Amino acid sequence: MTPAAKEATKKADPLERLRKILSLEQSKGCDNSAVMGGLDRFLRTLLERNGLPAGSPVAQALRALPPGGYARLSKAERRRWLDGALAAASGAPLPAPRGPAPPPPPKDVDAPVTVLKGVKATLAGRFENLNVRTVRDLLYLFPHRHNDYANLRRISELEPGADATVRARVWSAQETQLGRRLGSEATVGDESGMMRVVWFNQPFVARQLRTNDEIVLSGRAGLYHGRPIFENPEWEPWGRGEELTHTGRLVPVYPLTAGLSGRTVRRLVRQALDEYLDLLAEPLPDALRGRLRVMDLRGAVRAAHYPEDQDEIVAARRRLALDELLPLQLSVLLRRRRWQQPGASEPLVLRPDALDGFLAALPFALTVAQRRALDQLLGDLARDVPMSRLLQGDVGSGKTVVAACGLVAAVANGHQAVMMAPTEILAEQHFRTLAALFGADGGDGAVLAQAEPAYLDRPLRIARLTGSVKAKDRAEVYARIESGEVDIAVGTHALIQEGVTFARLGFVIVDEQHRFGVMQRAALRDKSARSAHLLVMTATPIPRSLYLTLYGDLDVSVIDELPPGRQPIVTRWWPPERRDDAYDFLREQVEGGRQAFVICPLVEESESLQSKAAVQEFERLRADVYPDLELELVHGRLSGREKDAAMRRFRDGEARILVSTAVVEVGIDVPNATVMLIEGADRFGLAQLHQFRGRVGRGADQSYCLLLAESPSPEAQQRLRLMQETTDGFRLAEADLQMRGPGEFFGTRQSGLPDFRVASLLDTRLIELARTEAARLLEDDPELARPEHAALARDVARLFDAVTGEVH
Ligand code: ADP
Ligand code: MG
């Protein structure tokens, strides 16, 4: 008992004692710590011992408490009750037990964490390292796991090595030398026995423990001289009538940062839960919650921190994940709906004879998969609803020709079209390929090309808009696009988004190589091409869960077949001892007239280190291994011009071997390249290895991919084996996602997805559920305009702004 409390009980007058304790409680911030065992017990004892009449102020004050007693009140309620009870104890009349309460001070869950007790600037700064700035952030700082301390034991029952909790009295506690540092040591006991407890490096614990205090200890029991011992257990006082925070239950384990202990985080999260949880607004409409049987938000947040049992954690996390997935799906569908207004766009119908003419002019027949994708594309273009379609096909599956046919449809209807590529070199390649397909001369440095294909009753003019186009030429191209003289513009995303004005843009193609997320695409569309038909092309096979989120706004066509006559690339994973064999093999191919890629290992620390390593590797290969051959080098630190020059020399066959880092797009079509040697192959993900490998095998000759790895981890070995086994991009993508998670799968920060705290992109079922529910909600309330959807609508808007940095 605290000295003040002791003094209070000594006094004869129970009213005086009551007043003392109540004021003490008030001055201590209403945390139910004025008396050991809690205020409720004190009040009951006081009442019983003194046989106070029912009409006494003490009895009245007791009656003003709800069934759970003082311990169950919130801080604000406690303050109110204390005021009333003190007034009664001093002789003033008690206010009506549940009368109109004075308005509590306004609380804001978005206030900085410094509003919490004991949080000063230093501590707030440490929380910032965890991205926690406001009380809301703290409520959403979820533990990554829980320690199960629910197992309450008597001291005599403790089993060494098992997590357990004991309730015991402090017999003695003192600071002590433990090893070289000061720590604390205590002896505690319960009815079954006693045990030693030590805390290393924590001398202050001893000062907090008083003889005869009842405390709860949780931790992993050990043995010391044949007796049980706890080392660094969690502990807290017992009997304040409050919920346990650090012990005796499933106790949250939080992500930590320097200077911030788990104990501090738990204490503050507890405070936030007690005082601010009620301010969280429920975003999910009742009907939906009922149908999906999900917890309410406050219950879920509470349970994510302090669950009753494991099942409750699962249920809470499911609910919280849904909160993240649902707004994403809503925004995806909402945008899709907004674009897809009937009558919003011009139908671009390609007459059958023109289509036949285009196909007849090709040097090859389309594969069945290409033809199917083409029919879907032309079907969409022929409608007055803007197309939103994803064309997915492995590297080399022949997407370009399908897209080109769509371009013809646009031009045939007097509309302009644009094709955007992620890199300069790819944009140039597209320009050249398209010009050739249409029968125009798009060679050497051409900026404009004109074709007069037999299947069109008008000329077709195509322009190149890449960085290497000189300012003067560029101005001219811009002018011609604006006047409508150019039918098709081909360029990089950046250049085209810079603000080209089209006379009558009807069709937009984005060749995106997974650089664009759904939100960026939405922003692009809202900004520039609301009514144009949109085709997105990607060579990355995308697992369904990701497709639903990243490309959920699009319909999909898949080209799941390679053109005939392609020989599957032979892939070999060789141990480092065979590096010389690999070099010899490369030389053989090059001397036979072919070309080769060498990919340098990934250096994750920085791009400049990566480039340095590539330069070294290049120098070594040139000096020691292939002194007689022409080599080229590209890495991230080269200027755009230097990079392009190197790529061109390789493309044109002047350089026989291209040494490259991973950061540099090798998305270049060099049919004569037949070998790809990947150094440090264990450092790359499957999707990326597959992309690299797709750079060879584009011609008729047998191609090879050689994988070298110094000492791959078991998981990397699994990847390398899989690369040997299959060239099926979908299988590889699915495996990659499972093994490395979505962040790695797409490369850091490229996915354009928001950071989820709880949701997992591997949880296809929950994503599908969010999708279905989002569709159902919009069916019901297409603009999310109803009051019960207001919170969701806000989340959708917030999400969009956060990802695109736009305000709308
Ligand atoms: P990607 O899907 O990777 O963009 P491309 O469109 O660049 O593939 O096509 C790869 C190569 O295959 C090109 O040289 C292209 O001319 C050729 N090609 C495309 N379709 C066929 C086909 N049906 N038959 C034969 N070759 C084709
Ligand atoms: Mg391509």
Coordinates of all heavy atoms in Angstrom, one line a residue, residues 286-294 773 776-777:
D286 N -23.2 -1.8 -42.0 CA -23.6 -2.9 -41.2 C -24.0 -4.1 -42.1 O -23.7 -5.2 -41.7 CB -24.9 -2.5 -40.4 CG -24.5 -1.4 -39.4 OD1 -23.3 -1.2 -39.2 OD2 -25.4 -0.8 -38.8
A287 N -24.7 -3.8 -43.2 CA -25.2 -4.9 -44.0 C -24.0 -5.8 -44.5 O -24.1 -7.0 -44.4 CB -25.9 -4.3 -45.2
L288 N -23.0 -5.1 -44.9 CA -21.8 -5.9 -45.4 C -21.2 -6.6 -44.3 O -20.8 -7.8 -44.4 CB -20.9 -4.9 -46.0 CG -19.6 -5.4 -46.7 CD1 -19.3 -4.6 -47.9 CD2 -18.4 -5.5 -45.8
R289 N -21.0 -6.0 -43.1 CA -20.4 -6.7 -42.0 C -21.2 -7.9 -41.6 O -20.6 -8.9 -41.2 CB -20.3 -5.7 -40.8 CG -19.0 -5.0 -40.8 CD -18.6 -4.3 -39.6 NE -19.5 -4.5 -38.4 CZ -20.2 -3.5 -37.9 NH1 -20.2 -2.3 -38.3 NH2 -21.0 -3.8 -36.8
G290 N -22.5 -7.7 -41.6 CA -23.4 -8.8 -41.2 C -23.2 -10.0 -42.2 O -23.0 -11.1 -41.8
R291 N -23.2 -9.6 -43.5 CA -23.2 -10.7 -44.5 C -21.8 -11.4 -44.4 O -21.8 -12.6 -44.6 CB -23.3 -10.0 -45.9 CG -23.5 -11.0 -47.0 CD -24.0 -10.4 -48.3 NE -23.1 -9.3 -48.7 CZ -23.4 -8.1 -48.8 NH1 -24.6 -7.6 -48.5 NH2 -22.5 -7.2 -49.3
L292 N -20.7 -10.7 -44.3 CA -19.4 -11.3 -44.3 C -19.0 -11.8 -42.9 O -18.0 -12.5 -42.7 CB -18.4 -10.4 -44.8 CG -18.6 -9.8 -46.1 CD1 -17.4 -8.9 -46.5 CD2 -18.8 -10.9 -47.2
R293 N -19.9 -11.5 -41.9 CA -19.6 -11.9 -40.5 C -18.2 -11.5 -40.1 O -17.4 -12.3 -39.7 CB -19.7 -13.4 -40.3 CG -21.1 -13.9 -40.6 CD -21.5 -14.9 -39.6 NE -22.7 -15.6 -40.2 CZ -22.6 -16.8 -40.9 NH1 -21.4 -17.3 -41.0 NH2 -23.6 -17.3 -41.4
V294 N -17.9 -10.2 -40.3 CA -16.6 -9.7 -39.9 C -16.8 -8.9 -38.6 O -17.8 -8.3 -38.4 CB -15.9 -8.9 -41.0 CG1 -15.4 -9.7 -42.1 CG2 -16.7 -7.7 -41.4
E773 N -17.4 -7.9 -53.2 CA -18.1 -7.0 -52.4 C -18.1 -5.6 -52.9 O -19.1 -4.8 -52.9 CB -17.6 -7.0 -51.0 CG -17.9 -8.3 -50.2 CD -19.4 -8.6 -50.1 OE1 -20.2 -7.6 -50.0 OE2 -19.8 -9.7 -50.2
R776 N -20.6 -5.4 -55.6 CA -21.9 -5.4 -55.1 C -22.3 -4.0 -54.5 O -23.4 -3.5 -54.8 CB -22.0 -6.4 -54.0 CG -23.4 -6.8 -53.6 CD -23.4 -7.6 -52.3 NE -22.9 -8.9 -52.4 CZ -23.7 -10.0 -52.1 NH1 -24.9 -9.8 -51.7 NH2 -23.2 -11.2 -52.2
L777 N -21.4 -3.4 -53.8 CA -21.6 -2.1 -53.3 C -21.9 -1.1 -54.4 O -22.8 -0.2 -54.3 CB -20.4 -1.6 -52.5 CG -20.3 -2.0 -51.1 CD1 -18.9 -1.8 -50.5 CD2 -21.3 -1.2 -50.2

